[in-house]
Amino acid sequence: MSTGSGAASAPAPDLYDTKTALDAPRRNSMFSSLRIRNYRLFFLGQVVSNIGTWMQRIAQDWLVLSLTGSSAAVGITTALQFLPMLLFGLYGGVLVDRLRKRPTLMVTQSAMALTSLALAVLTLTGMVEVWHIYVAALALGLATVVDNPARQSFVSELVGPGQLQNAVSLNSANFQSARLVGPAVAGLLITGVGTGWAFLLNGLSFVAPLTGLMLMRTRELHPVERAPRGKGQLREGLRYVAGRPDLLWPIVLVGFMGTFAFNFPVYLSAFADDVFHGDAGVYSMFNTLMAVGSVSGALLAARRGTARLRMLIMAALAFGALEILAAASPELWMFALVMVPLGLVSMTVNVTTNTSLQMSTDPSVRGRVMALYMMVFLGGAPVGAPVVGWVTDTYGARVGFAAGGAIAMTAAAVIGLILARAGGLRLAVGWHHGHPSVRFVPRDRVKALAPAA
């Protein structure tokens, strides 16, 4: 069985700014991956399911806030949903590297559907309590331990290495496009008939991806060699990442951002309720506006065809600055306006990291690398969400949001310098095409660029 081309698994010699294995082999059209039948089925199924997922996210956060009146409780719910990823994420990656991806996804998607339906019954019958939501969030998190790395690594089997960059970007656009519809529908359902209907529709939405998985043609997949059962596979994956600075430091960066800066359920619900004294519709609006920017960021990534680490650092810096700007916004309309570029740069961070990791990782360990990435990115929430929830409750939503942005900017600056040093680069201040220039270049070019010409 094919394990993919060398370009998809070779290490990247330049860690920061040159065209290497982090770049796509050629510039694709924005929607080129959709020409592949199996990926088209996967994509369409995810469109429906993702709308339901966003509906449940909004309904879950608002229901917890309505029952408790506490941002910290929203943070606890988020923490429970991502705690399994923190505890068992790496083991999930080991399983994914051993198992066939399509039947694995059918099991995990079915489990997530049943969890949502159970929560819908409790809510619609008026029996729901906060601990029920906590249990449901934990159950979803357990399914996600395997589902997330399986879905991430399955994309390469659907499209092959030549279309991987485009497919990853379209997946992100898919998820964020659903964010335009899901929160809006959730807001209407919550204010009109109640949160239970959002949970019910999310449970039913899993029919679409399950149908797509069943209709796929196995002979058209690009299978990779599965890892055999053996001892030390978890340590092998960790050693692989530890020896690759181009994999290690982007994962560290998104870990800081996922833990402290991406806690939008806590931040946005607090701004909607405490700062601007709105309802679920205002909270949904914030999420929808972020989705507008996120879709734009994902589509730009699909068209760009590259995944440079320089772009990752710049986007992370911009993300932190925009969070601080949003925290200082005195009016609702100003805060809402910042949500669009904030969504764009956050998606740029996500897509760039995801694509660079997948394209630079050997297919035989891809499940473990993506599990580590998702564990760090999503698993940081159990640590960060209660902390930022407490900061938000104690010092106010503005302080909590600004603190998250400051942490993101600091992490991006420090890791950017580490990557530049590891890649043999130094900061060069000079002139480029007749304009002042501040950029990272190879050490032997610093002196040549420094004089003003």
Side-chain angles (χ1 to χ4, degrees):
M1 289 185 292
S2 171
T3 58
S5 69
S9 58
D14 185 329
L15 302 182
Y16 206 78
D17 192 32
T18 58
K19 292 184 178 181
T20 63
L22 295 185
D23 286 342
R26 58 185 175 84
R27 183 179 293 272
N28 296 315
S29 66
M30 187 175 289
F31 302 102
S32 57
S33 298
L34 292 176
R35 301 190 188 105
I36 301 171
R37 179 181 181 274
N38 282 345
Y39 179 72
R40 192 163 58 247
L41 288 170
F42 179 82
F43 184 90
L44 293 174
Q46 291 299 309
V47 168
V48 178
S49 181
N50 286 336
I51 291 173
T53 296
W54 278 111
M55 289 169 55
Q56 172 142 335
R57 284 192 177 189
I58 300 300
Q60 175 181 279
D61 297 339
W62 199 258
L63 180 59
V64 171
L65 195 63
S66 300
L67 291 173
T68 66
S70 170
S71 294
V74 177
I76 291 171
T77 307
T78 303
L80 288 171
Q81 187 162 337
F82 297 122
L83 180 63
M85 181 64 71
L86 180 63
L87 297 177
F88 311 116
L90 290 176
Y91 295 98
V94 172
L95 285 174
V96 167
D97 280 335
R98 293 175 181 173
L99 300 172
R100 289 187 298 155
K101 308 300 185 296
R102 187 166 66 149
T104 299
L105 286 171
M106 294 183 72
V107 172
T108 58
Q109 295 279 295
S110 298
M112 296 166 80
L114 292 174
T115 302
S116 298
L117 292 173
L119 188 57
V121 171
L122 288 169
T123 307
L124 290 172
T125 57
M127 299 173 60
V128 69
E129 298 179 17
V130 174
W131 73 268
H132 292 143
I133 305 172
Y134 288 166
V135 171
L138 184 62
L140 285 172
L142 289 169
T144 301
V145 167
V146 176
D147 185 80
N148 250 327
R151 278 189 297 108
Q152 298 284 342
S153 55
F154 188 49
V155 174
S156 64
E157 296 188 22
L158 291 170
V159 301
Q163 294 286 349
L164 182 58
Q165 160 81 21
N166 183 261
V168 170
S169 300
L170 288 182
N171 278 355
S172 299
N174 183 335
F175 185 70
Q176 297 302 328
S177 296
R179 198 171 173 181
L180 295 171
V181 179
V185 175
L188 292 174
L189 289 173
I190 292 169
T191 56
V193 294
T195 55
W197 291 97
F199 299 140
L200 177 62
L201 291 179
N202 178 50
L204 296 176
S205 73
F206 284 96
V207 172
L210 287 169
T211 302
L213 288 167
M214 288 187 290
L215 292 176
M216 288 179 184
R217 296 170 181 165
T218 305
R219 65 181 182 276
E220 295 179 6
L221 295 174
H222 300 259
V224 300
E225 186 176 354
R226 286 180 283 156
R229 293 180 61 88
K231 296 181 179 180
Q233 291 179 322
L234 182 59
R235 291 191 299 272
E236 178 189 357
L238 292 174
R239 284 196 300 267
Y240 181 84
V241 172
R244 294 283 302 276
D246 57 320
L247 303 179
L248 174 63
W249 290 111
I251 290 175
V252 172
L253 175 58
V254 298
F256 274 101
M257 298 183 71
T259 301
F260 299 107
F262 278 10
N263 284 285
F264 297 118
V266 178
Y267 294 136
L268 299 188
S269 62
F271 266 85
D273 188 40
D274 299 333
V275 177
F276 299 119
H277 309 293
D279 56 12
V282 175
Y283 179 45
S284 297
M285 178 188 69
F286 291 158
N287 282 274
T288 301
L289 289 171
M290 278 198 69
V292 172
S294 297
V295 171
S296 301
L299 292 177
L300 286 173
R303 185 177 182 84
R304 187 166 56 241
T306 61
R308 295 183 180 182
L309 295 183
R310 179 181 65 176
M311 177 64 71
L312 170 61
I313 300 301
M314 292 173 61
L317 288 168
F319 177 85
L322 285 168
E323 281 204 341
I324 294 172
L325 178 62
S329 299
E331 301 291 339
L332 187 151
W333 69 268
M334 294 177 64
F335 182 88
L337 190 63
V338 178
M339 292 298 101
V340 177
L342 186 65
L344 189 151
V345 294
S346 69
M347 184 49 54
T348 302
V349 170
N350 290 340
V351 171
T352 304
T353 306
N354 190 314
T355 306
S356 65
L357 292 178
Q358 291 213 50
M359 295 184 71
S360 300
T361 300
D362 189 285
S364 64
V365 295
R366 187 172 286 149
R368 279 164 281 181
V369 172
M370 297 311 296
L372 177 61
Y373 162 62
M374 298 307 297
M375 184 193 77
V376 171
F377 181 48
L378 299 179
V383 177
V387 173
V388 300
W390 176 81
V391 171
T392 299
D393 282 340
T394 305
Y395 299 102
R398 296 188 186 278
V399 173
F401 211 14
I407 291 172
M409 290 188 71
T410 302
V414 172
I415 291 172
L417 291 173
I418 291 172
L419 284 171
R421 185 178 181 84
L425 304 175
R426 286 187 177 179
L427 186 68
V429 180
W431 291 82
H432 184 65
H433 297 305
H435 300 285
S437 173
V438 179
R439 53 185 173 144
F440 285 96
V441 298
R443 288 188 177 93
D444 57 1
R445 292 179 56 195
V446 173
K447 292 183 179 180
L449 292 170

